Amino acid sequence: MAEKVTFCAFLLVLLSTLAAAIRPSARSSTVARRAALENGLGRTPQMGWNSWNHFHRNINEEIIRQIADAMVDTGLAKLGYEYINIDDYWAAYDRDSQGVDYLKYDNCNNQGISPQPRYDAMSKALLNSGRNIFFSLCEWGVDDPATWAGGVGNSWRTTGDIKDTWASMTAIADKNDKWASYARPGGWNDPDMLEVGNGGMTTEEYRSHFSIWALMKAPLLIGCDIRSMSNKTKEILSNRNVIAVNQDGLGVQGHKVQQDGDQEVWAGPLTGGRFAVVLWNRGSAQASITASWWSIGLNASTVVDAHDLWTDKIISAVRGELEETVDSHACKMYVLTPK
């Protein structure tokens, strides 16, 4: 391959193996004291690919190698999609010193034992391994890991498994939103992997999925077969503007700031005094959505340029609010830059 794509075994470690819109200000003091895992990883949300959503248990070495090649050939690796993650149903007890860069520790076969001490033990073992390994906790939000996992792992699942449906994706976004104030560089809320391109949603619904995940600083882990993805799927996954919001160095998770029935505004700050904003129409009919400066965190008199991240057009000299018509099950995403 022309470029390096990090290859990582994605292990589901069993218990027996181990034995061998909430506003950020609401919990700011608590979050400020939360320790971060000191392994130097996860300064921005992880990006890559995972086998589970599309292939489930039907994986083999040939598929994984082809996916790694496709990650480079499609240009996705250049955009930051770094990890190739092997999920369940392919594991080995022995690994050499080059196999593993990322561990997803699942909660299967947990025998009813509390997650926290098990994940803490694994964290210490990884830190003592002599290799920097990204630690992804996947206990499905059972014990509210956002409140304790910052010093244990680099990301933590806040929800159950996603399904390739509009209902599942929107419900999971809401569940993850609750923990927005706990995310920061080194540790991220994880609402599960991307379903973009798997066929269960429309293009507009997938665009909403990708936009909200990017705004929430969620891990961007592709879950489709990138060897045969459509041009529309590639266009969504390759949007540099949206990826830049996810990878912004400020590391603040955007959250829901306005709601009027099925019409919502999600927003969050970015570096340079900018703001990312998503106008999200979750209803069954086209609707007008207005994002007010007061809810975003801007002074009412502030004048901004609004960059539409999907059309790449710029609306100049916007003051006080941003109003747009949004199609059903669709969104519009902007970066607001004060003038």
Side-chain angles (χ1 to χ4, degrees):
M1 294 186 298
E3 300 174 40
K4 175 180 178 292
V5 178
T6 303
F7 182 80
C8 49
F10 210 173
L11 307 179
L12 299 184
V13 185
L14 306 184
L15 183 61
S16 58
T17 304
L18 180 58
I22 293 179
R23 302 299 291 252
S25 60
R27 289 188 293 266
S28 58
S29 60
T30 301
V31 176
R33 292 193 296 269
R34 179 173 66 75
L37 182 64
E38 297 299 333
N39 63 1
L41 302 175
R43 306 314 298 172
T44 58
Q46 68 268 37
M47 297 176 62
W49 177 89
N50 178 280
S51 63
W52 183 254
N53 283 3
H54 184 84
F55 291 97
H56 297 279
R57 66 185 67 186
N58 300 313
I59 55 173
N60 55 51
E61 182 176 354
E62 182 180 8
I63 290 174
I64 300 304
R65 289 185 178 277
Q66 289 176 356
I67 290 291
D69 288 339
M71 190 71 87
V72 173
D73 295 341
T74 60
L76 291 171
K78 284 185 176 180
L79 296 174
Y81 293 99
E82 177 181 15
Y83 293 105
I84 301 293
N85 294 343
I86 308 167
D87 212 295
D88 203 359
Y89 291 99
W90 188 23
Y93 286 105
D94 297 323
R95 305 280 175 181
D96 62 28
S97 62
Q98 303 302 314
V100 178
D101 295 294
Y102 188 118
L103 174 67
K104 176 191 176 187
Y105 182 1
D106 218 324
N107 201 30
C108 300
N109 301 320
N110 58 57
Q111 301 179 30
I113 299 176
S114 176
Q116 188 168 349
R118 292 186 282 110
Y119 284 89
D120 186 62
M122 179 58 76
S123 176
K124 292 174 181 176
L126 293 176
L127 288 172
N128 291 330
S129 71
R131 183 181 183 87
N132 290 335
I133 298 175
F134 191 103
F135 187 20
S136 168
L137 285 70
C138 184
E139 53 91 275
W140 317 312
V142 172
D143 272 5
D144 296 341
T147 63
W148 54 265
V152 178
N154 298 112
S155 68
W156 44 86
R157 278 279 293 279
T158 55
T159 71
D161 290 353
I162 193 171
K163 297 178 181 176
D164 188 18
T165 68
W166 174 257
S168 173
M169 184 271 288
T170 54
I172 280 180
D174 288 337
K175 291 177 182 177
N176 188 67
D177 185 49
K178 176 181 179 181
W179 307 107
S181 62
Y182 289 89
R184 71 172 187 177
W188 309 102
N189 293 311
D190 178 6
D192 206 5
M193 299 165 290
L194 295 167
E195 291 283 7
V196 176
N198 278 328
M201 289 184 262
T202 68
T203 298
E204 288 298 331
E205 289 171 341
Y206 280 139
R207 194 173 286 125
S208 296
H209 179 16
F210 194 67
S211 298
I212 291 295
W213 259 238
L215 185 84
M216 293 194 300
K217 301 299 188 293
L220 297 183
L221 296 173
I222 300 170
C224 70
D225 187 351
I226 60 174
R227 300 172 303 174
S228 57
M229 64 181 170
S230 69
N231 289 334
K232 289 183 178 179
T233 294
K234 183 179 178 181
E235 178 187 0
I236 293 171
L237 296 174
S238 301
N239 188 307
R240 295 175 182 270
N241 295 324
V242 179
I243 291 172
V245 169
N246 181 260
Q247 298 291 296
D248 184 76
L250 190 63
V252 174
Q253 178 174 325
H255 63 290
K256 189 185 303 187
V257 297
Q258 287 180 226
Q259 182 174 9
D260 181 12
D262 291 324
Q263 285 72 56
E264 301 179 351
V265 177
W266 295 57
L270 302 172
T271 53
R274 301 169 300 142
F275 286 82
V277 179
V278 174
L279 310 181
W280 195 12
N281 180 7
R282 292 166 61 163
S284 58
Q286 188 181 75
S288 177
I289 302 177
T290 301
S292 300
W293 274 200
W294 64 266
S295 66
I296 295 171
L298 286 167
N299 187 286
S301 62
T302 301
V303 177
V304 307
D305 287 340
H307 180 193
D308 186 323
L309 302 190
W310 287 107
T311 67
D312 214 23
K313 296 179 180 179
I314 295 178
I315 307 172
S316 299
V318 183
R319 184 193 300 270
E321 63 183 26
L322 178 65
E323 181 178 3
E324 292 289 330
T325 299
V326 184
D327 290 336
S328 168
H329 286 201
C331 77
K332 293 191 175 181
M333 188 174 191
Y334 298 88
V335 166
L336 308 183
T337 304
K339 295 174 70 84

